[in-house]
Amino acid sequence: MTALDLSSPVAVVGTGTMGQGIAQVALVAGHPVRLYDTVPGRARQAAEAIGARLDRLVEKDRLTGPDRDAARARLLPAESLAELADCALVVEAVLERLDVKQELFRDLEGIVSDDCLLATNTSSLSVTAIGGALRAPGRFVGLHFFNPAPLLPLVEVVSGFATDVTHATRAYETARAWGKTPVACADTPGFIVNRIARPFYAEAFAVYEAQGADPATIDAVLRESGGFRMGAFELTDLIGQDVNESVTQSVWQSFFHDVRFTPSLAQRRLVESGRLGRKSGHGWYDHRDGAERPEPDTAERRQPPAYVVAEGDLGPAAELLALIREAGVPVRDESDEDQGACLLLPSGGRLVLADGQTAVEYRDLVYFDLALDYRRATRIALSASQDTSPQAIAEATGLFQALGKQVSFIGDMPGMIVARTVARIIDLAHDAVAKGVATEEDIDTAMRLGVNYPLGPFEWSRRLGRTWAYVLLDDLHRRDPSGRYAPSLALYRHAHAPDPREGTAS
């Protein structure tokens, strides 16, 4: 099954931001495009707005004048659904209400031809449920674009329970012909991106709610250590707290209140107070004119230790040893199975990579968080218990400062910030593949392109090792037995399966 021919008209119903964006994508690709909205005059206004954006593309040398003129000639506002009768594809981008979408597609089914592809851009509703209102749901598919549709490359092509594979393939190939990067997924709550991205927000909010750190510090650690483009608090302020919480609520409810997707009470209070983020002037941060952005907690300068002793395999943090030597701090290599993998400090304190346990369980232990790249990271989070000696804390702080890192101390949070977030993302990704939601490759593509993650979950999993996420989450689950951190069966199987590179279990 191939993509729609460029001579085939494409219709977009709903002329808000997403509807206009999708129409522009189809238009620039070369299709005749019809715009329809139930509000009189709105389709014509949307056509004018799209025309203005085409003008700006010409000004930026991203579109030629003749191509702009030809695209404008192909764009027609429609005054009734009947004018969409000859369209080969109709994409809906209307109100996120099941009854509204079902009624629209029932009406369309009586107007368009039998081979017209019907698609919804829903981000939170069941594609199966919407298509269930049709006599022939096999031609119904989800085409979930990301905002702004003309700029973001990802399109989730969602097959409902009754979607015919030939129609799903046509939708997939059409999205690719439009210059997009499509990924195929089953109809599951949140599809790929909104399902697997939940821990990025949830764990940041959980650390905040437990008074482990303030929003500015958590955001800085996620950016400067985790390699994420934005922190969870600043990103949800940009998205809109009401929008982000609505998606979280939808996924949670659709999974029958699965504790892994539990919404944040702190975010709920933010929404109830009307602090919705940038659009309201205040969210987690104050965005009003003249407001000062809070600074992350940053430790004062300390002297580096005279030396460190490397004991055991530091795993994902092994590159620290080269950095420490380059900073002029002597490293002594020793093997002590009783101590485990750590950096032993002159005071007797131990530096350990976040592992899902707490510092209060040990004597003079300082945890450090996971980094995407310890050489490039500009900040590292440390945590200790109230009983950790001041000398061990000072030596740990000075060591990372000697490596050129800012140091942020957070509360004694098991799994810290980046490590617990990445582990949960990896877990949900493995669970999604095991349940037939999508392939590993499509999940990695979706998370990199849809939410700009520095690595896809499976890329991260391979880098960190087969057992890393499972061990961390299992330790976390022992300390929080609510079920939120219980590793999935899929992750358990992955961690205990034979390593194909070695032929033995690892």
Side-chain angles (χ1 to χ4, degrees), residues 408-423:
S408 292
F409 263 91
I410 69 169
D412 188 11
M413 305 296 302
M416 302 192 71
I417 297 171
V418 179
R420 71 198 290 179
T421 299
V422 171

Side-chain angles (χ1 to χ4, degrees), residues 8 15 17 28 38-39 124 157 159 162 194 206 287 291 300 320 322-323 334 357 366 411 459 467 483 494 500:
S8 303
T15 58
T17 301
V28 172
T38 56
V39 179
S124 60
V157 182
S159 293
N194 280 330
H287 299 281
E300 296 180 357
L320 280 175
L323 300 181
E334 295 185 7
Q357 302 181 58
V366 179
E459 293 173 310
T467 63
H494 174 75

Side-chain angles (χ1 to χ4, degrees), residues 224-227 314-324 326 343 351-355 367-382 400 402-406 416 418-419 460 463-464 468:
E224 300 174 40
S225 182
L314 294 180
E319 65 179 321
L320 280 175
L321 297 179
L323 300 181
I324 293 170
E326 291 170 15
L343 293 172
L351 258 175
V352 177
L353 175 62
D355 59 7
Y367 276 115
F368 63 94
D369 208 351
L370 180 70
L372 174 70
D373 182 333
Y374 283 100
R375 182 173 294 277
R376 295 183 180 180
T378 57
R379 182 178 299 271
I380 199 74
L382 303 181
F400 279 101
L403 306 185
K405 319 300 182 189
Q406 299 271 38
M416 302 192 71
V418 179
W460 241 319
R463 176 184 287 197
L464 295 170
W468 180 85

Side-chain angles (χ1 to χ4, degrees), residues 10 36 85 127 132 197 201 218 222 279 293 356 358 387 464:
V10 172
Y36 175 75
V127 171
Y201 312 108
I218 297 170
L222 286 168
K279 62 186 177 183
R293 179 70 176 264
T358 57
D387 298 323
L464 295 170

Side-chain angles (χ1 to χ4, degrees), residues 25 29 149-155 172-182:
V25 170
L151 297 180
L152 294 187
L154 185 70
V155 178
Y172 184 98
E173 294 300 334
T174 297
R176 185 158 62 178
W178 290 357
K180 296 301 181 182
T181 303

Side-chain angles (χ1 to χ4, degrees), residues 263-313:
S264 161
L265 181 59
Q267 188 180 38
R268 174 93 290 261
R269 294 291 179 259
L270 206 65
V271 173
E272 290 174 339
S273 70
R275 294 189 170 187
L276 306 182
R278 289 182 179 273
K279 62 186 177 183
S280 70
H282 206 303
W284 295 110
Y285 299 107
D286 188 344
H287 299 281
R288 293 171 294 188
D289 291 342
E292 292 187 10
R293 179 70 176 264
E295 294 293 326
D297 177 78
T298 303
E300 296 180 357
R301 296 294 305 180
R302 301 289 185 182
Q303 289 296 316
Y307 64 89
V308 296
V309 178
E311 296 185 333
D313 182 2

